[in-house]
Amino acid sequence: MKTSDFNFDLPAELLAEHPSEHRDEARLMVLDRKTQTIEHKLFKDVVDYFDEEDLFIFNNTKVFPARLYGNKEKTGAKIEVFLLRELDKETRVWDVLVDPARKIRIGNKLFFTEDESLVAEVIDNTTSRGRTLRFLFDGSYDEFRTKLKELGETPLPKYIKRAVEPEDAERYQTIYAKVEGAVAAPTAGLHFSKHLMKRLEIKGINFAEVTLHVGLGTFNPIEVEDLSKHKMESEEIIIDERNAAIINKAVESHRRVCAVGTTTMRALETSVSSNKKISAFNGWTNKFIYPPHDFGVANSMITNFHTPKSTLIMMIAAFAGRDFVMHAYEEAVKEKYKFYSYGDAMLIL
């Protein structure tokens, strides 16, 4: 498989700038792998495809407001700082992306407040736009994290050209988000409303949760034609014993097991053993799933519509078959489905 096998023409106007008015009223394309058929529904119709004792598995990661704006010492130039990963709690050292990167060198200081209560010093370069910062803040760790939240902005993807709006703080977060640590939302889950969750519950459908803290690596473009040479960035996964047991019971009972999102699927495929059992897991994954791949846990999945040549469309192709997926994407463009983070959804059975 080559990167170019996953290319298609995506008109710019199909990239969703805003979410649908109601979470569960986004459009839903339903792909049936057995019959190779496609249906067009609304997301809230997802309940019709599942029965009592079937299982939905959610990624309960919570997005933190990772985008900060600071000013460079002396010149006062405005610099965007995107928090990627906390490296050391004690010394407040973080890996970040900076923009414009050419202006930021080791030793530079960035000021985030008028009163200079939060300052960061650049202590290392990591990649072309990556830097390691040490934050200087006179207060406890909890006060420091509170200050980051106060100053931070919802980290909407770069393709959304509009300014962040107050509703984004709520809508770029799943309703079941619990464990803070993601810098991007697990977007398939954004379509679930409280009302829909209640309807699923009433129908007797079970829920399990895993945590995968979504990093920006998920969205990195693939710059090689040979997929086996692409390296994914690592993301942190946590699966506890209780949720592992719920998942294993559903698999053993041959229920319909639905992974909500590519991040949930990556977490499952990282922690599954050769005998198709999920084990409790606490660690990191850089697993890259592309065709052919034998999936061990979920036999259905929910996902959004992804951009051309992305690692995400490759995972979908591994699950549903490359030709079927590319045909479905052609149909999605023709039917003007909305793509990417705030876009419409796909259910693959």
Side-chain angles (χ1 to χ4, degrees):
M1 283 279 168
K2 301 196 294 289
T3 301
S4 52
D5 291 333
F6 300 92
N7 199 15
F8 62 95
D9 288 327
L10 177 59
E13 68 270 15
L14 296 186
L15 287 166
E17 288 271 318
H18 291 88
S20 58
E21 190 182 349
H22 300 291
R23 285 182 186 266
D24 58 15
E25 290 189 353
R27 294 166 75 194
L28 178 71
M29 182 186 274
V30 183
L31 271 60
D32 188 315
R33 293 180 292 171
K34 203 177 281 176
T35 59
Q36 296 282 292
T37 52
I38 293 172
E39 292 180 283
H40 303 287
K41 301 282 185 175
L42 288 179
F43 192 81
K44 60 188 178 185
D45 300 326
V46 77
V47 72
D48 300 334
Y49 294 89
F50 294 86
D51 294 318
E52 194 175 348
E53 298 299 326
D54 286 346
L55 179 69
F56 277 75
I57 309 171
F58 300 103
N59 180 5
N60 65 11
T61 188
K62 191 173 187 179
V63 181
F64 66 92
R67 191 173 272 128
L68 301 173
Y69 294 95
N71 297 96
K72 192 179 166 190
E73 64 178 335
K74 298 191 179 114
T75 66
K78 189 178 180 185
I79 306 292
E80 179 190 303
V81 173
F82 196 104
L83 301 171
L84 287 180
R85 190 176 296 165
E86 184 177 48
L87 299 180
D88 191 319
K89 203 168 164 176
E90 298 300 313
T91 55
R92 295 170 194 176
V93 172
W94 285 69
D95 270 347
V96 305
L97 295 178
V98 293
D99 195 17
R102 65 184 186 282
K103 295 185 172 180
I104 301 301
R105 297 190 171 88
I106 294 171
N108 287 161
K109 282 197 173 138
L110 299 170
F111 295 86
F112 296 94
T113 54
E114 294 269 315
D115 62 2
E116 300 183 8
S117 60
L118 184 67
V119 179
E121 184 182 5
V122 182
I123 59 173
D124 201 2
N125 297 325
T126 51
T127 59
S128 57
R129 285 177 56 223
R131 301 289 182 272
T132 304
L133 300 187
R134 181 186 289 114
F135 283 95
L136 311 169
F137 178 78
D138 191 17
S140 69
Y141 178 74
D142 287 346
E143 288 167 333
F144 166 63
R145 289 300 297 238
T146 301
K147 179 59 83 175
L148 288 184
K149 272 189 196 160
E150 271 171 30
L151 297 172
E153 189 178 272
T154 302
L156 292 184
K158 280 287 194 189
Y159 81 87
I160 294 179
K161 302 296 182 214
R162 63 174 174 80
V164 172
E165 294 165 10
E167 71 154 5
D168 290 313
E170 182 217 344
R171 290 304 301 272
Y172 196 63
Q173 196 81 270
T174 62
I175 60 165
Y176 47 77
K178 288 190 186 83
V179 188
E180 195 170 78
V183 298
T187 54
L190 297 179
H191 303 293
F192 286 85
S193 63
K194 285 187 177 137
H195 180 63
L196 178 57
M197 295 290 272
K198 185 47 82 182
R199 284 176 64 213
L200 290 165
E201 216 176 291
I202 289 166
K203 199 167 180 182
I205 291 158
N206 296 320
F207 303 146
E209 294 183 353
V210 299
T211 305
L212 183 144
H213 290 315
V214 191
L216 286 187
T218 299
F219 308 104
N220 278 353
I222 296 186
E223 287 164 350
V224 288
E225 182 65 356
D226 178 353
L227 295 187
S228 66
K229 293 190 164 51
H230 177 68
K231 295 283 182 283
M232 295 285 281
E233 279 184 36
S234 291
E235 293 168 312
E236 188 179 7
I237 295 176
I238 305 150
I239 302 175
D240 63 26
E241 297 277 3
R242 190 181 74 83
N243 281 287
I246 294 169
I247 295 165
N248 288 332
K249 186 182 172 197
V251 172
E252 284 158 18
S253 311
H254 304 290
R255 304 307 315 178
R256 185 163 267 174
V257 176
C258 183
V260 178
T262 56
T263 58
T264 299
M265 190 66 95
R266 281 185 77 217
L268 296 172
E269 290 301 301
T270 297
S271 56
V272 69
S273 64
S274 54
N275 64 355
K276 313 275 189 193
K277 280 267 196 333
I278 287 286
S279 308
F281 188 94
N282 194 330
W284 295 77
T285 183
N286 62 354
K287 193 171 191 67
F288 175 27
I289 299 172
Y290 59 93
H293 181 84
D294 180 24
F295 288 83
V297 183
N299 50 27
S300 61
M301 76 180 292
I302 292 168
T303 185
N304 277 21
F305 287 92
H306 308 296
T307 47
K309 299 197 286 192
S310 60
T311 60
L312 307 171
I313 193 174
M314 290 166 188
M315 180 195 288
I316 303 313
F319 190 71
R322 186 234 165 229
D323 293 348
F324 189 29
V325 166
M326 298 313 283
H327 167 63
Y329 268 61
E330 257 176 58
E331 182 95 353
V333 170
K334 197 172 79 194
E335 295 291 330
K336 297 195 166 20
Y337 275 75
K338 289 291 188 183
F339 277 67
Y340 216 33
S341 301
Y342 270 157
D344 294 315
M346 178 186 274
L347 168 64
I348 305 170
L349 300 170

mmCIF file of all heavy atoms in Angstrom, residues 17 55 88 138 173 180 186 229 236 258 268 281 301 305 318 328 348:
data_model
loop_
_atom_site.group_PDB
_atom_site.id
_atom_site.type_symbol
_atom_site.label_atom_id
_atom_site.label_comp_id
_atom_site.label_asym_id
_atom_site.label_seq_id
_atom_site.Cartn_x
_atom_site.Cartn_y
_atom_site.Cartn_z
ATOM 1 N N GLU A 17 -16.390 24.185 9.483
ATOM 2 C CA GLU A 17 -15.883 25.279 10.339
ATOM 3 C C GLU A 17 -16.607 25.307 11.688
ATOM 4 O O GLU A 17 -16.075 25.792 12.673
ATOM 5 C CB GLU A 17 -16.102 26.632 9.633
ATOM 6 C CG GLU A 17 -15.172 26.876 8.450
ATOM 7 C CD GLU A 17 -13.863 27.546 8.875
ATOM 8 O OE1 GLU A 17 -13.900 28.461 9.706
ATOM 9 O OE2 GLU A 17 -12.805 27.127 8.373
ATOM 10 N N LEU A 55 -21.946 -3.436 22.823
ATOM 11 C CA LEU A 55 -21.031 -2.585 23.601
ATOM 12 C C LEU A 55 -20.475 -1.434 22.781
ATOM 13 O O LEU A 55 -20.014 -1.626 21.653
ATOM 14 C CB LEU A 55 -19.858 -3.441 24.121
ATOM 15 C CG LEU A 55 -18.787 -2.719 24.941
ATOM 16 C CD1 LEU A 55 -19.342 -2.276 26.293
ATOM 17 C CD2 LEU A 55 -17.560 -3.612 25.140
ATOM 18 N N ASP A 88 8.090 17.335 32.889
ATOM 19 C CA ASP A 88 8.490 17.277 34.294
ATOM 20 C C ASP A 88 7.622 18.216 35.118
ATOM 21 O O ASP A 88 7.662 19.434 34.941
ATOM 22 C CB ASP A 88 9.970 17.658 34.436
ATOM 23 C CG ASP A 88 10.513 17.359 35.831
ATOM 24 O OD1 ASP A 88 9.795 17.610 36.812
ATOM 25 O OD2 ASP A 88 11.653 16.874 35.933
ATOM 26 N N ASP A 138 5.497 31.712 40.112
ATOM 27 C CA ASP A 138 5.656 31.741 41.564
ATOM 28 C C ASP A 138 4.350 31.295 42.222
ATOM 29 O O ASP A 138 3.492 32.111 42.546
ATOM 30 C CB ASP A 138 6.025 33.167 42.006
ATOM 31 C CG ASP A 138 6.457 33.206 43.463
ATOM 32 O OD1 ASP A 138 6.764 32.120 43.992
ATOM 33 O OD2 ASP A 138 6.477 34.298 44.059
ATOM 34 N N GLN A 173 -15.350 19.058 22.926
ATOM 35 C CA GLN A 173 -15.124 18.191 24.073
ATOM 36 C C GLN A 173 -16.264 17.175 24.061
ATOM 37 O O GLN A 173 -17.429 17.558 23.859
ATOM 38 C CB GLN A 173 -15.199 19.035 25.345
ATOM 39 C CG GLN A 173 -14.640 18.410 26.588
ATOM 40 C CD GLN A 173 -13.120 18.537 26.677
ATOM 41 O OE1 GLN A 173 -12.427 17.656 26.198
ATOM 42 N NE2 GLN A 173 -12.607 19.597 27.282
ATOM 43 N N GLU A 180 -8.003 14.528 31.815
ATOM 44 C CA GLU A 180 -7.386 15.590 31.023
ATOM 45 C C GLU A 180 -6.017 15.173 30.481
ATOM 46 O O GLU A 180 -5.250 14.525 31.176
ATOM 47 C CB GLU A 180 -7.244 16.852 31.885
ATOM 48 C CG GLU A 180 -6.967 18.080 31.055
ATOM 49 C CD GLU A 180 -7.071 19.354 31.885
ATOM 50 O OE1 GLU A 180 -6.117 19.651 32.626
ATOM 51 O OE2 GLU A 180 -8.093 20.027 31.780
ATOM 52 N N PRO A 186 -11.116 13.570 20.566
ATOM 53 C CA PRO A 186 -11.441 12.326 19.853
ATOM 54 C C PRO A 186 -12.788 12.549 19.170
ATOM 55 O O PRO A 186 -13.846 12.350 19.748
ATOM 56 C CB PRO A 186 -11.519 11.293 20.986
ATOM 57 C CG PRO A 186 -11.870 12.086 22.205
ATOM 58 C CD PRO A 186 -11.411 13.490 21.998
ATOM 59 N N LYS A 229 7.355 2.910 6.134
ATOM 60 C CA LYS A 229 8.437 3.788 6.615
ATOM 61 C C LYS A 229 7.917 4.985 7.434
ATOM 62 O O LYS A 229 8.704 5.783 7.926
ATOM 63 C CB LYS A 229 9.265 4.283 5.425
ATOM 64 C CG LYS A 229 10.043 3.148 4.750
ATOM 65 C CD LYS A 229 11.037 3.660 3.730
ATOM 66 C CE LYS A 229 12.065 2.607 3.339
ATOM 67 N NZ LYS A 229 11.507 1.320 2.930
ATOM 68 N N GLU A 236 -0.292 8.494 24.873
ATOM 69 C CA GLU A 236 -0.438 7.747 26.136
ATOM 70 C C GLU A 236 -1.796 7.052 26.199
ATOM 71 O O GLU A 236 -2.821 7.640 25.859
ATOM 72 C CB GLU A 236 -0.293 8.717 27.311
ATOM 73 C CG GLU A 236 -0.225 8.031 28.647
ATOM 74 C CD GLU A 236 -0.059 9.000 29.811
ATOM 75 O OE1 GLU A 236 -0.132 10.226 29.605
ATOM 76 O OE2 GLU A 236 0.143 8.502 30.937
ATOM 77 N N CYS A 258 -18.493 -1.848 19.369
ATOM 78 C CA CYS A 258 -18.270 -0.656 18.543
ATOM 79 C C CYS A 258 -17.196 0.246 19.155
ATOM 80 O O CYS A 258 -17.359 0.754 20.271
ATOM 81 C CB CYS A 258 -19.570 0.126 18.393
ATOM 82 S SG CYS A 258 -19.403 1.555 17.309
ATOM 83 N N LEU A 268 -7.325 -0.066 21.649
ATOM 84 C CA LEU A 268 -7.710 -1.479 21.711
ATOM 85 C C LEU A 268 -6.679 -2.359 20.998
ATOM 86 O O LEU A 268 -6.262 -3.392 21.519
ATOM 87 C CB LEU A 268 -9.084 -1.679 21.070
ATOM 88 C CG LEU A 268 -10.265 -0.984 21.763
ATOM 89 C CD1 LEU A 268 -11.523 -1.115 20.922
ATOM 90 C CD2 LEU A 268 -10.498 -1.552 23.168
ATOM 91 N N PHE A 281 -3.798 -1.761 30.664
ATOM 92 C CA PHE A 281 -2.621 -1.202 29.984
ATOM 93 C C PHE A 281 -2.387 0.214 30.485
ATOM 94 O O PHE A 281 -3.325 0.991 30.641
ATOM 95 C CB PHE A 281 -2.890 -1.181 28.466
ATOM 96 C CG PHE A 281 -1.704 -0.799 27.614
ATOM 97 C CD1 PHE A 281 -0.872 -1.766 27.081
ATOM 98 C CD2 PHE A 281 -1.426 0.537 27.329
ATOM 99 C CE1 PHE A 281 0.217 -1.416 26.280
ATOM 100 C CE2 PHE A 281 -0.347 0.906 26.541
ATOM 101 C CZ PHE A 281 0.476 -0.085 26.011
ATOM 102 N N MET A 301 -17.350 0.245 14.025
ATOM 103 C CA MET A 301 -16.724 1.468 14.527
ATOM 104 C C MET A 301 -17.444 2.698 14.017
ATOM 105 O O MET A 301 -18.117 2.673 12.978
ATOM 106 C CB MET A 301 -15.233 1.526 14.192
ATOM 107 C CG MET A 301 -14.862 1.871 12.787
ATOM 108 S SD MET A 301 -13.040 1.904 12.513
ATOM 109 C CE MET A 301 -12.527 3.324 13.480
ATOM 110 N N PHE A 305 -15.239 11.860 8.940
ATOM 111 C CA PHE A 305 -14.648 11.802 7.600
ATOM 112 C C PHE A 305 -13.286 12.494 7.632
ATOM 113 O O PHE A 305 -13.176 13.628 8.089
ATOM 114 C CB PHE A 305 -15.577 12.483 6.588
ATOM 115 C CG PHE A 305 -16.799 11.658 6.297
ATOM 116 C CD1 PHE A 305 -17.970 11.846 7.027
ATOM 117 C CD2 PHE A 305 -16.783 10.679 5.324
ATOM 118 C CE1 PHE A 305 -19.096 11.078 6.784
ATOM 119 C CE2 PHE A 305 -17.907 9.900 5.073
ATOM 120 C CZ PHE A 305 -19.064 10.095 5.803
ATOM 121 N N ALA A 318 -8.233 -0.091 6.428
ATOM 122 C CA ALA A 318 -7.831 -1.393 6.963
ATOM 123 C C ALA A 318 -9.036 -2.121 7.547
ATOM 124 O O ALA A 318 -9.139 -3.344 7.479
ATOM 125 C CB ALA A 318 -6.752 -1.214 8.037
ATOM 126 N N ALA A 328 -16.959 5.052 -0.751
ATOM 127 C CA ALA A 328 -17.808 5.772 0.217
ATOM 128 C C ALA A 328 -17.406 7.246 0.307
ATOM 129 O O ALA A 328 -18.254 8.138 0.407
ATOM 130 C CB ALA A 328 -17.714 5.108 1.587
ATOM 131 N N ILE A 348 -19.412 2.024 10.576
ATOM 132 C CA ILE A 348 -19.009 0.875 9.766
ATOM 133 C C ILE A 348 -19.408 -0.399 10.520
ATOM 134 O O ILE A 348 -18.991 -0.609 11.658
ATOM 135 C CB ILE A 348 -17.493 0.872 9.509
ATOM 136 C CG1 ILE A 348 -17.045 2.192 8.873
ATOM 137 C CG2 ILE A 348 -17.113 -0.297 8.597
ATOM 138 C CD1 ILE A 348 -15.541 2.371 8.800
#
